[in-house]
Amino acid sequence: MEERVNPELKVVLDQMPELIINKEQMPFIQQSFKEMLEMNNRVPNPAVTITDKLIPGPCREQEIRVRIYRSVAPIQSSAGLLWIHGGGYVLGTPEMDDGLCERFVLEANCTVVSVDYRLAPEHPFPAPLEDCYAALTWFSQHAEEIDVNPSQIAVAGASAGGGLTAATSLLARDRMGPEIIFQMPLYPMIDDRHVTPSSKEIHDTRVWNEETNRKAWNMYLGDLQGEVSIYAAPARCTDFSNLPPTYTCVGDLDPFRDETIEYIAKLTKAGVPTEFHLYPGCYHGFDGYAPFTEIGKKATDQYVQALCEAFKKVGVKQV
């Protein structure tokens, strides 16, 4: 893989530690990940307020946390974004995307709600998805309390968050749930079958690769028997009609390259307006690992702009 990596990203790759995903050690790995985030000295953007709130989960006796990002300045629009963090369905918290969510607020003029969904292997499918759907439902029902129009909500996420974005859109369509005006599943984790060429190409242990992908899917699916649900692995879906306009991207050194391309083709054939970018020489999550590189900036700028354009297309009220 190394000889194909973008030169900017190669410098970053050379400094990256081995990526470890192990079911028996996941509680320790998850805790270490949270502690690492807490040690981060990121300076919050003073133009954005961040509030944590507990909302009803899929089961009324269980609550889930959402993290709400709002502009300090007078309300700029009525748009809302449900953001779903990545982490292979086994890692991650909303805090890891604080900077990106602040940027969405300021550049796309929207309010962002990020969901702290439960993680596998302790909470396999459908728990993470049901948490995301519960957050979407709460967002829609309580939108006006945070100055959002309930008919102007988009959903987005990266990697496993992209998979949950695609699954949440399917679930909202099939349950006749809240309206989603736009979805942005970035390099989404949507196919558990490991049958595409790209799913078997990457073996570098410093980035998401075939082995980590298989382990993460096994943890997410848990003891699931029989046919895997389309809501667990949206690539298995056969009906892509009536889904929201879509934007996505992926690197050509990402295990998810081929499943993303196939997903885009199916959406397009179903008549869903879709925009897609393929980045040469880029491994999984390159925009997050190397946000300071030209290619990292380019990818992030393009999907932030895509969200801005999506809100403009549906006539989101600017106030």
Side-chain angles (χ1 to χ4, degrees):
M1 182 188 84
E2 283 201 53
E3 66 277 6
R4 297 169 57 194
V5 175
N6 176 294
E8 283 188 298
L9 299 180
K10 174 66 167 59
V11 175
V12 177
L13 181 66
D14 289 341
Q15 302 173 18
M16 287 166 56
E18 185 176 25
L19 178 63
I20 299 173
I21 298 291
N22 185 295
K23 184 175 182 179
E24 289 69 31
Q25 296 179 339
M26 281 315 299
F28 171 76
I29 295 171
Q30 290 169 348
Q31 183 59 36
S32 297
F33 187 84
K34 288 182 179 181
E35 291 174 358
M36 179 185 68
L37 283 175
E38 290 171 358
M39 293 172 60
N40 186 356
N41 293 321
R42 192 192 76 87
V43 178
N45 191 317
V48 177
T49 63
I50 302 177
T51 306
D52 289 324
K53 184 178 182 64
L54 292 176
I55 65 170
C59 302
R60 286 292 170 177
E61 64 273 11
Q62 170 250 331
E63 293 181 313
I64 53 178
R65 179 174 68 101
V66 294
R67 196 162 171 85
I68 304 172
Y69 305 78
R70 303 180 70 189
S71 172
V72 171
I75 306 242
Q76 297 299 305
S77 84
S78 55
L81 173 67
L82 177 68
W83 175 258
I84 307 173
H85 70 76
Y89 300 112
V90 298
L91 284 171
T93 69
E95 285 80 357
M96 64 192 275
D97 295 323
D98 278 351
L100 180 59
C101 289
E102 289 172 345
R103 186 172 175 183
F104 286 140
V105 169
L106 297 175
E107 296 188 32
N109 291 322
C110 64
T111 295
V112 177
V113 172
S114 182
V115 53
D116 189 15
Y117 58 89
R118 290 169 291 172
L119 300 173
E122 184 179 0
H123 302 288
F125 175 83
L129 174 59
E130 291 293 353
D131 287 353
C132 293
Y133 188 77
L136 173 66
T137 301
W138 177 87
F139 197 177
S140 177
Q141 292 175 347
H142 296 264
E144 294 179 0
E145 298 173 15
I146 48 177
D147 301 307
V148 170
N149 185 327
S151 65
Q152 294 174 341
I153 295 174
V155 181
S159 190
L164 288 166
T165 295
T168 298
S169 292
L170 284 171
L171 206 58
R173 179 196 69 180
D174 296 345
R175 288 182 178 176
M176 301 183 69
E179 178 182 358
I180 299 173
I181 61 167
F182 176 70
Q183 66 162 350
M184 193 163 69
L186 305 170
Y187 39 89
M189 185 174 175
I190 54 176
D191 197 343
D192 66 298
R193 294 168 292 189
H194 313 286
V195 293
T196 64
S198 68
S199 69
K200 303 172 185 177
E201 282 179 5
I202 308 302
H203 302 285
D204 192 312
T205 57
R206 294 167 293 181
V207 296
W208 199 258
N209 56 68
E210 180 182 6
E211 181 181 3
T212 52
N213 197 42
R214 288 182 182 275
K215 288 181 177 179
W217 271 111
N218 287 339
M219 285 186 268
Y220 184 52
L221 297 179
D223 297 326
L224 192 65
Q225 300 293 322
E227 187 69 18
V228 173
S229 167
I230 64 170
Y231 308 116
R236 289 176 172 267
C237 184
T238 57
D239 178 9
F240 288 84
S241 62
N242 300 313
L243 287 171
T246 302
Y247 178 98
T248 188
C249 62
V250 71
D252 71 346
L253 301 178
D254 192 320
F256 304 154
R257 180 195 67 213
D258 295 342
E259 61 201 66
T260 301
I261 292 172
E262 291 175 7
Y263 175 66
I264 289 302
K266 291 174 181 177
L267 284 170
T268 303
K269 289 176 183 176
V272 176
T274 304
E275 182 176 351
F276 169 62
H277 292 258
L278 177 66
Y279 296 105
C282 295
Y283 42 75
H284 185 72
F286 68 95
D287 56 313
Y289 283 120
F292 47 85
T293 61
E294 288 305 311
I295 189 64
K297 291 176 184 176
K298 179 180 179 180
T300 306
D301 287 348
Q302 288 182 327
Y303 61 70
V304 171
Q305 185 60 34
L307 182 65
C308 296
E309 292 298 322
F311 286 146
K312 288 178 184 178
K313 285 179 182 177
V314 296
V316 168
K317 181 186 69 173
Q318 303 290 316
V319 293

